[in-house]
């Protein structure tokens, strides 16, 4: 974080940012080299949990001694410890005592005796580790102890959960422990009014989703008075399902938008025209089917239908973009796979969880095209007022730790992105789960038939079966095939997620067949014999829960989450994946090219027994994981400068909000005019007006800068063909644009200020401009990148077509942005 005083000038801001950029770029090479060498070793090094053995014994011993203490003692002693921690500014000598107090409180209030593994996890969380614990090992309870201890610092602790339901459930469930210790607990829910949110954040411990806290952070950046600020300073966060929030969702920006922009193009007309085009004649896919483009004949047809002389002219760039979005939405975004339509709107499906992703959208043009494709109301995209990627928001916490069942394989990413280390906690009870080798088939039909036969065979024994599928469509189709064989089953997917609790409650009963998307792979606890475990012994005798996966995922962590539904807390269980060489993952990442030189097998109905095939499938998944890591890394590098600029400008904005004297832009550049206004306007009112003008100008110029940076990033990869580094060119361009932002802020402030002559001018100005947007809304943006862009991120490769585009599109792009800067913004 940049250290900016309240009186920082635009020049000082520019100098601070430039120095920070130089330091960032200087270290990038060393970090990249060290990361590369570390990843070559293919070994995951995690912390040693045995280092906490002595402390755990001390906690357990002290907790036993506390069993005879009256409840009043716990509240009183926690108050005394809190006062001592705040006075000494350290909690080091109180860890054992606070953990013992919390352990005994858990036993008395909820009947929970903390396992040794939970105490080790709780100690590691306090030390800032990402803790890996198996499913059913009690992560929720383990998080309570460090939350209690860190709440005593007086700055608050946030427990960031996977969704609103878990935030509410965990706060209520663990509430009695906190209350016995005299600690108040808050919870944030979507749609909660501002004043209520503010009160919840002022409590010692607050449960919330990461996105809700992130949105509130952005809202605070747009506040026009200190009374509107919701959050205290961010201090410590415990992140549940840490790999999902810190890695899978890390690149997704949180957005606050308002002031809808006008778009004269009719998305329904565009969807209609694009819908008439034919593959091969008017558009083509690339080799992997992940990118799509118009042919020359297609361009000619579009120019005729849209009455446009040349779609490649700069004046038609927006129309061509909208047509491309429409084609992408029509062909590459699939209903019941990428999204569902519910309540008359598009609802995106999270590829990692299989759940509806609340408040998530595609970039504005693509979202609009998709709504037009489905003939739904086109929701306003609005102008982005402020934005921050999830990973950069999480990094704002000075102290961070997390919990998940699948962290070890992402150790390098946790370390390089967040500076945290993973610690793996051995389970309290040894796992009895059997993870069988994948059954690999040559084609989809053979896989499907074998899967159906296995489900039916197990169903006859009464053994409960959970089948993890890739999409809503696949889950529904598999259920239909089972019903045709007279096998009853329940389906859990994004289309019926409201029934999740009911379906999961029965997934472990005798004879249960549950077909699910990735929804069942994370955050679900399937108990053998049903929710009351009344028939547990019978299910145990059958071998426990059988988990069958129908596809490998892009990340082994997602596969492991599905496997983790079986073998809970030492229960027996079995897992196996049924996959084929024609699965979507294999096609998308071209398994054929890995095997072609070694022999692609002929179609057969039985599973393949080739060790080579299994090795190549595993290698493909590792290649995909590595590619996705480097894409996330590249996206982080692209956004790093913009985030640095955001932090510096928002610090400048906050210092302006807190000013007790006239901003220097007015007192130094317009002292005579200020003297004149002081005779017309009360001193306090004049100061508030000046601050209001500055805040307004900062907000407007920053929103313009975000739009310009987004436009630059869309085309910056084209410069790689000319031998330039896209990342360096992007940083250089965005840095220069930011230089103009700071100039523009000063110019706008003075222009508005000097136009004020009378009290009436003040009233007109406040009515016309200086007001909070009537409506703002929040959402997340899920960016879609083409194969070409991914390849440039990973290898810097390019094509002759993009070489030509460098000398055509890129200059026009720059001209368009510069024209906006000099073209009379007001």
């Amino acid at each position: 974080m940049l250290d900016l005083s309240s009186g920082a000038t635009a020049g000082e801001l520019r100098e601070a940012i430039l120095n920070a950029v130089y330091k960032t770029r200087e270290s990038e090479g060393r970090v990249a080299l060290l990361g590369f060498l570390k990843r070559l070793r293919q070994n995951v090094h995690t912390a040693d949990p045995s280092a906490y053995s002595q402390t755990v014994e001390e906690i357990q011993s002290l907790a036993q001694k506390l069993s005879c203490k009256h409840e009043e003692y716990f509240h009183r002693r926690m108050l005394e410890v809190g006062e001592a921690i705040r006075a000494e500014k350290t909690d080091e000598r109180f860890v054992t005592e606070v953990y013992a107090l919390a352990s005994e409180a858990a036993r008395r209030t909820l009947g929970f005796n903390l396992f040794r593994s939970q105490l080790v996890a709780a100690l590691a969380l306090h030390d800032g580790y990402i803790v890996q614990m198996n499913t059913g090992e009690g992560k929720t309870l383990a998080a309570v102890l460090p939350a209690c201890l860190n709440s005593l610092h007086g700055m608050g602790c946030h427990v960031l959960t996977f969704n609103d339901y878990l935030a509410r459930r965990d706060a209520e469930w663990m509430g009695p422990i906190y209350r016995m210790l005299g600690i108040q607990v808050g919870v944030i829910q979507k749609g909660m009014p501002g004043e209520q949110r503010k009160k919840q954040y002022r409590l010692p411990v607050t449960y919330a989703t990461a996105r809700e806290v992130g949105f509130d952070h952005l809202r605070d950046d747009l506040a026009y008075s200190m009374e509107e600020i919701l959050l205290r300073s961010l201090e410590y966060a415990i992140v549940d399902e840490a790999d999902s929030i810190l890695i899978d969702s890390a690149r997704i920006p949180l957005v606050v938008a308002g002031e809808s922009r006008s778009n004269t193009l009719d998305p329904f007309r565009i969807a209609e025209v694009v819908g008439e085009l034919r593959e091969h004649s008017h558009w083509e896919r690339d080799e992997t089917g992940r990118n799509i483009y118009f042919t020359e004949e297609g361009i000619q047809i579009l120019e005729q239908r849209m009455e446009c002389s040349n779609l490649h002219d700069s004046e038609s760039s927006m129309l061509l973009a909208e047509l491309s979005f429409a084609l992408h939405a029509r062909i590459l975004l699939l209903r019941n796979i990428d999204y569902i339509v519910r309540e008359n709107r598009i609802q995106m499906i999270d590829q990692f969880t299989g759940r509806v992703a609340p408040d998530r959208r595609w970039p504005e043009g693509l979202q609009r095209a998709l709504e037009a494709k489905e003939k739904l109301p086109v929701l306003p995209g609005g102008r982005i007022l402020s934005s921050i990627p999830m990973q950069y928001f999480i990094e704002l916490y000075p102290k961070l730790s997390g919990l998940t069942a699948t962290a070890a394989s992402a150790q390098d990413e946790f370390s390089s992105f967040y500076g945290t280390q993973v610690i793996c906690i051995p389970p309290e009870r040894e796992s009895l789960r059997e993870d069988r080798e994948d059954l690999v088939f040559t084609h989809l039909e053979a896989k499907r038939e074998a899967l159906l036969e296995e489900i039916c065979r197990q169903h006859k024994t009464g053994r409960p079966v959970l089948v993890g599928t890739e999409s809503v469509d696949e889950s529904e189709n598999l259920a239909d095939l089972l019903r045709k064989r007279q096998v009853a089953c329940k389906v859990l997917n994004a289309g019926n997620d409201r029934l999740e609790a009911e379906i999961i409650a029965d997934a472990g009963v005798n004879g249960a067949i549950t077909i699910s998307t990735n929804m069942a792979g994370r955050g679900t606890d399937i108990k053998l014999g049903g929710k009351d475990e009344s028939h547990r012994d019978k299910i145990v005798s059958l071998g426990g829960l059988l988990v069958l996966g129908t596809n490998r995922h892009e990340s082994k962590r997602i596969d492991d989450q599905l496997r983790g539904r079986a073998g809970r807390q030492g229960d027996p269980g079995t897992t196996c994946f049924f996959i084929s060489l024609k699965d979507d993952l294999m096609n998308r990442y071209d398994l054929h090219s890995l095997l072609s030189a070694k022999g692609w097998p002929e179609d057969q109905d039985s599973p393949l027994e080739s060790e080579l095939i299994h090795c190549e499938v595993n290698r493909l998944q590792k290649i995909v994981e590595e590619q996705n890591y480097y894409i996330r890394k590249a996206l982080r590098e692209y956004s790093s400068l913009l985030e640095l600029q955001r932090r510096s400008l928002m610090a400048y904005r906050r210092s302006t909000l807190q000013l007790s004297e006239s901003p220097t832009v007015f007192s130094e550049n317009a002292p005579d005019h200020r003297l004149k206004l002081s005779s017309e306007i009360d001193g306090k009112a004049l100061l508030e007006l000046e601050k209001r003008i500055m805040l307004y100008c900062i907000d407007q110029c920053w929103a313009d800068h975000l739009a310009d940076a987004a436009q630059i990033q869309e085309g910056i990869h084209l410069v790689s063909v000319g031998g330039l580094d896209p990342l360096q060119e992007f940083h250089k361009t965005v840095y220069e644009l930011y230089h103009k932002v700071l100039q523009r802020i000063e110019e706008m402030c003075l222009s508005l200020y000097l136009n004020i002559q009378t009290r009436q001018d003040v009233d007109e100005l406040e009515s016309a401009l200086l007001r909070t947007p009537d409506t703002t809304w929040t959402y997340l943006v899920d960016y879609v990148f083409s194969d070409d862009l991914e390849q440039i991120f990973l290898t810097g490769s390019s094509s002759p077509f993009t070489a030509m585009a460098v000398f055509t599109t890129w200059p026009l792009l720059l001209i368009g942005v510069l024209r906006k800067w000099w073209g009379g913004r007001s």
Side-chain angles (χ1 to χ4, degrees), residues 77 84 88 90-97:
R77 184 57 188 153
E88 298 176 17
T90 178
D91 55 25
E92 186 174 350
R93 70 184 184 93
F94 297 104
V95 174
T96 299
E97 182 177 5

Side-chain angles (χ1 to χ4, degrees), residues 32-50:
L33 177 60
L34 290 172
F36 174 71
L37 292 174
K38 184 176 181 181
R39 297 175 78 79
L40 275 181
R41 293 197 297 269
Q42 295 295 315
N43 291 321
V44 177
H45 299 287
T46 58
D48 182 7
S50 64

Side-chain angles (χ1 to χ4, degrees), residues 617-683:
V617 168
N618 290 331
R619 185 159 76 100
L620 177 74
Q621 188 175 49
K622 289 178 181 177
I623 290 171
V624 175
E625 287 180 324
E626 197 77 359
Q627 175 175 317
N628 287 335
Y629 165 77
Y630 280 113
I631 290 173
R632 287 193 293 268
K633 183 174 180 292
L635 291 171
R636 177 184 174 88
E637 290 172 346
Y638 270 83
S639 61
S640 61
L641 176 58
L642 201 61
E643 173 59 14
L644 191 62
Q645 293 171 345
R646 187 198 70 82
R647 293 187 189 187
S648 66
L649 195 62
M650 291 307 110
Y652 185 43
R653 189 189 190 282
R654 181 65 65 90
S655 68
T656 299
L657 193 62
Q658 298 171 322
L659 284 176
S660 58
E661 56 186 25
S662 177
T664 56
V665 66
F666 303 126
S667 61
E668 292 184 2
N669 296 311
D672 294 338
H673 189 67
R674 190 177 195 282
L675 183 61
K676 176 185 175 183
L677 289 179
S678 63
S679 63
E680 299 273 342
I681 306 171
D682 174 70

